[in-house]
Structures are given as structure tokens and as C-alpha cells.
Amino acid sequence: MPPMDNHLPPRHAKPRNLAHAVISYVTDLIRDGRIVPGEKVPSEAEIIQALGVSRSVVREAMSQLQATGVVETRQGKGTFVLDRSVQPMGLQVPAEMRQHDVLAILELRLSLETESAGLAARRRSEQQLARIRAALDIFLAQCDEGRNNAANDTEFHLSIAQASGNTYLYDVLSHLSKELLPRARALLSDLPRDTPDVFIERVRREHEDIYGAIARQDAESARAAMHTHLNNSRERLRRALEAHAART
């Protein structure tokens, strides 16, 4: 296994929830591909040495990871990463996506990501906040350059879901982002868009509001900012679809 130091928080950091710090550490290793399904996670002793937490904290974190299906403990062998490649919650990609499917996906995101932002504001670590900021900076820079930025917008939203500490939220939103959103964007490619200057100003303001609330650890403001952002997207899409239908 590669050295773990590259992923360690500063020793002087005092996470609000030590078990959550261990969970974030292990899930980051999995998400970054440093440990893959079937491989062992770091041992109790390694995590204690790396993070400076107690044995009871590590056991609490592993219990939560087992409960959410991330890992399993095999008697006398250790704790192993499970294969989570099965589509979460039975979500299936429709054979032929229609415009009402896109609106339905936005409504689902509105519910899930509003709570995701609130949880991230309460639970995020400084490392996770830095990841959210980095994703946002890349996204906004590409907006300014007029480049395709859908992947970086997705990374911003998924980094928030990862910081929520809820692996179910992250898995469902990751599935939506990888399997459904690209097809939804393709379906809507012919719809009228805002002018570039209006688009950039809007997305900058809405995304900075989300980030700012998470940075302040203001859960209610984070929920409100994410709800405003996605609700605005839904309403713009609804109006664009109505205008397109009226012309055809």
C-alpha cells in the first residue's frame, strides 16, 4: 500500500467528529483509487498512527462504513473494500430519455443536493473544503474562457456530496452524474441559452453562494443556496421547453 502521509490532515487539526474524520480518510482512499474493491483498508494500528485517534474512534468509523456497505470485516483477516459497482437504489437509465425525464431528474437533484449541501456545511473538513474550492475555481475559469465546463460543474457538486459524509447520497448523485446527466444535456442541446455574460454572472453568483455557506459551516444557508441554484435551473429549463414547444 502507498504511504498514507499524502492524505493526512494536519496533526493540529481538531475535527468536529473524529469518527467522521476516519470515514472521510478511508472513503478518500477508495474514491482516489488508492485502495480498490477486494483490497484491505489500513489496519486499526495504521489509522491510529496516521490520524492520531483512539481505537474506539476507529471502530466506530468502521462500524458506520460497514453499515453503509462500503467495507466488510472478515474474522481474522481484516477489513476489505466492497464492490459497489451495482447501480444504487435500482436507478436505471431509460432506453429513450424524454424532456419530462430531464425535469424529473432535476426535481430529484433538488431534493438530494439541497440536503447534501447542508450536511457538507456541518461535516466538511478543511481538505474537503479545499477540494470544493478547487473544483469551483476550475469550473468558473472555464466558464470565463467559454469552454465546455459540464464535467467541472459535476465535480463541484460531487465534491459537496463527498463532503456530506453520506455515502448513499454520494453514490446516487454520482450515478446520476455519470449515467443520466450527459444524456439529459445532449437532449437539451438545441434549446435557447442565456447570453455568455448573463450565464457567467449567474453561475458565478449561485455557485459562490453555495461555497460561501459551506465554508462558513452555515447549514441552513447552504441548503437555501443549493435549492435556489437548482430551482432556478429547473425554472429556466421549464420556460425554455415551453418556448420551444410554442415554436414547433
Side-chain angles (χ1 to χ4, degrees):
M1 182 177 296
M4 296 191 291
D5 292 347
N6 291 340
H7 286 266
L8 298 185
R11 276 303 190 100
H12 58 76
K14 295 182 179 179
R16 297 172 68 189
N17 185 317
L18 291 174
H20 177 68
V22 176
I23 291 169
S24 295
Y25 176 61
V26 173
T27 54
D28 280 352
L29 290 175
I30 297 169
R31 194 175 76 90
D32 295 342
R34 297 186 64 192
I35 48 177
V36 298
E39 290 186 344
K40 290 177 67 174
V41 304
S43 67
E44 278 188 2
E46 288 173 316
I47 295 175
I48 289 168
Q49 181 181 11
L51 299 181
V53 296
S54 68
R55 187 177 301 275
S56 63
V57 167
V58 176
R59 290 180 176 176
E60 178 188 348
M62 289 302 156
S63 176
Q64 292 186 41
L65 287 170
Q66 287 183 68
T68 55
V70 177
V71 302
E72 69 172 2
T73 298
R74 301 171 190 169
Q75 189 66 33
K77 295 182 178 180
T79 301
F80 295 79
V81 179
L82 290 175
D83 185 353
R84 311 189 77 203
S85 60
V86 178
Q87 291 184 347
M89 297 177 65
L91 290 174
Q92 300 294 324
V93 180
E96 182 180 357
M97 185 173 290
R98 301 181 184 276
Q99 291 175 348
H100 71 266
D101 292 315
V102 180
L103 283 170
I105 292 168
L106 259 178
E107 289 172 354
L108 178 60
R109 289 184 62 198
L110 186 62
S111 299
L112 295 177
E113 294 201 51
T114 294
E115 183 60 18
S116 174
L119 292 174
R122 293 211 317 264
R123 298 173 175 174
R124 58 85 177 162
S125 66
E126 290 301 319
Q127 184 181 28
Q128 289 167 334
L129 181 65
R131 182 176 295 158
I132 295 169
R133 181 73 251 179
L136 179 55
D137 286 343
I138 294 171
F139 170 60
L140 294 178
Q142 293 199 334
C143 286
D144 289 337
E145 296 168 6
R147 296 166 59 190
N148 187 323
N149 47 49
N152 295 110
D153 185 30
T154 295
E155 180 60 26
F156 171 73
H157 285 267
L158 288 182
S159 64
I160 292 171
Q162 194 273 336
S164 77
N166 186 310
T167 55
Y168 290 111
L169 269 176
Y170 178 82
D171 282 352
V172 173
L173 290 172
S174 181
H175 174 71
L176 289 175
S177 298
K178 292 175 183 177
E179 302 295 337
L180 298 182
L181 292 187
R183 292 179 57 186
R185 292 187 182 104
L187 181 64
L188 304 175
S189 59
D190 293 333
L191 291 179
R193 307 279 179 175
D194 291 334
T195 60
D197 56 335
V198 171
F199 171 79
I200 292 171
E201 172 58 28
R202 171 175 55 77
V203 298
R204 183 179 300 278
R205 182 182 65 254
E206 292 180 1
H207 286 75
E208 288 286 3
D209 285 348
I210 296 167
Y211 171 80
I214 293 173
R216 296 192 308 272
Q217 298 189 298
D218 183 342
E220 288 308 310
S221 292
R223 289 188 183 95
M226 183 65 80
H227 187 277
T228 295
H229 170 54
L230 293 175
N231 190 58
N232 286 347
S233 296
R234 179 180 62 175
E235 289 307 300
R236 282 189 294 270
L237 173 59
R238 184 183 58 78
R239 290 194 297 269
L241 290 173
E242 289 176 353
H244 180 73
R247 292 194 301 270
T248 58

